Amino acid sequence: MYRRPLQSASRAAIKATASRPAGGKVLLQEASGSFPRASAACRLARAPPSRLTAYRTLHIGTQLCNVKETRQHAEEEVGAFTKLIEAMGFTGTLKYNKWKIKIAALRMYTCCVERINYDDFFDKCSLPDTLNSWFLVAQLHVWMCLVRMRQEGREGKYMCRYIVHSMWEDVEQRSKIMGIDASHRKEGLKSMTETFYAAIFGYDEGILSDDGVLAAALWRNLFNCECDDPRQLELMVGYVRKQMQYIDALDGDDLILTGEVKWRPLVEENAQSILKVATPTYNDTGL
């Protein structure tokens, strides 16, 4: 029921004019869990070093860059007044119409929840089929979109705000459909918010580090510190690496105007081949 498409959530996200505040304290206890358990996860993730290292070399080709090597968008020179109003939550002049960017952000979030085979993740990673497991898989793909769009300057950062806003609107609507009462829903959303921002911190560190650090981040955030099978960690490390390489190859302007992302499958025969994605088409209004 919680995986049912929600048109009402989409309409609410389009009409929204301000994103949900991202403030609040990140719950470090959730991110770290128990220090002995986290260190044990790192050792577990490094148990087959030759296999995990192979994944890193497998998905770093000669034509495509990984996140650390991706050419960053040139920083735009902005005045002190522009920095001030952006710090207050307002946005200055953007290269594209804000309404188009908001629609593209909603489409990109939709790709994170409608184009993912959750049953594969639940089966291959031994995750329970629950709303929380759905959220953990969805937030992993949302994070990958945020990493990609942050490379597109002010337009990309503006789009990130509405991707996250769309996610919280959707989560709230799904919890209502499941019949969760208001008090438990509020408590659950608070817990998910803390989990999300702690996961972003861990995933950012993992994608910029070696496979052991990324495996530890996945063990804490995706598996809830309950994965004892190194093959599952190996599978997810390879999935994140290849997915990030694939999404890095997409054109930034096309992503800002369309928000279209076609994810690669969790398991595929030739994981090293990254085919060039057909250029998306859109009309003169960006739709």
Side-chain angles (χ1 to χ4, degrees):
M1 181 184 297
Y2 58 85
R3 284 186 272 171
R4 169 184 169 187
L6 299 175
Q7 297 179 356
S8 58
S10 300
R11 290 195 297 268
I14 292 177
K15 294 180 180 179
T17 57
S19 64
R20 185 182 298 270
K25 298 182 179 179
V26 176
L27 199 62
L28 296 179
Q29 291 85 347
E30 187 279 332
S32 59
S34 171
F35 283 111
R37 296 180 69 184
S39 60
C42 293
R43 292 195 298 270
L44 178 64
R46 295 189 180 95
S50 59
R51 298 173 69 185
L52 284 176
T53 304
Y55 262 107
R56 187 168 180 82
T57 57
L58 180 66
H59 301 297
I60 301 179
T62 57
Q63 296 181 346
L64 297 177
C65 304
N66 65 5
V67 176
K68 297 174 68 174
E69 300 168 349
T70 302
R71 183 180 61 185
Q72 296 296 315
H73 195 285
E75 287 295 330
E76 183 179 353
E77 292 293 335
V78 295
F81 179 73
T82 302
K83 293 181 180 179
L84 176 62
I85 63 174
E86 287 185 347
M88 297 172 60
F90 300 97
T91 305
T93 304
L94 300 175
K95 183 168 59 173
Y96 299 111
N97 183 275
K98 295 180 181 180
W99 181 250
K100 296 179 183 178
I101 297 178
K102 290 180 183 180
I103 295 177
L106 177 60
R107 286 177 174 170
M108 184 168 287
Y109 171 72
T110 302
C111 292
C112 294
V113 295
E114 298 295 338
R115 294 185 177 177
I116 302 298
N117 189 336
Y118 287 91
D119 291 331
D120 279 351
F121 286 90
F122 295 161
D123 180 54
K124 300 294 183 182
C125 299
S126 302
L127 299 175
D129 190 353
T130 62
L131 176 63
N132 185 61
S133 295
W134 168 87
F135 174 74
L136 295 177
V137 175
Q139 79 170 1
L140 176 64
H141 293 82
V142 168
W143 163 75
M144 287 190 278
C145 288
L146 298 180
V147 171
R148 179 63 184 88
M149 297 317 300
R150 285 200 298 260
Q151 301 174 31
E152 297 303 322
R154 299 170 67 195
E155 290 78 14
K157 293 177 182 177
Y158 183 77
M159 188 170 176
C160 287
R161 293 171 51 189
Y162 284 92
I163 294 174
V164 175
H165 178 76
S166 300
M167 179 184 70
W168 293 127
E169 290 290 335
D170 188 20
V171 171
E172 186 172 7
Q173 291 296 325
R174 291 172 190 263
S175 62
K176 288 180 179 179
I177 287 181
M178 293 184 65
I180 302 176
D181 60 83
S183 60
H184 287 86
R185 186 166 62 247
K186 182 179 179 180
E187 182 180 352
L189 288 174
K190 180 181 178 181
S191 176
M192 285 182 173
T193 302
E194 294 169 346
T195 300
F196 176 69
Y197 290 107
I200 285 182
F201 179 82
Y203 289 149
D204 281 347
E205 182 184 19
I207 199 65
L208 294 173
S209 304
D210 58 26
D211 288 344
V213 179
L214 179 57
L218 289 166
W219 179 80
R220 290 193 308 269
N221 298 291
L222 179 65
F223 293 97
N224 280 322
C225 306
E226 296 180 356
C227 176
D228 297 326
D229 188 350
R231 292 174 297 180
Q232 295 177 345
L233 283 171
E234 178 188 8
L235 175 65
M236 290 308 304
V237 167
Y239 177 77
V240 172
R241 293 289 185 197
K242 73 178 180 182
Q243 208 67 265
M244 288 304 305
Q245 186 181 9
Y246 179 72
I247 196 173
D248 274 347
L250 302 177
D251 182 77
D253 288 332
D254 289 335
L255 288 174
I256 292 175
L257 289 174
T258 66
E260 292 289 333
V261 177
K262 295 181 179 179
W263 302 98
R264 303 184 71 187
L266 178 61
V267 179
E268 52 188 329
E269 294 182 359
N270 187 9
Q272 192 172 10
S273 66
I274 296 184
L275 304 178
K276 184 177 180 181
V277 182
T279 304
T281 58
Y282 45 87
N283 57 28
D284 56 355
T285 61
L287 303 177

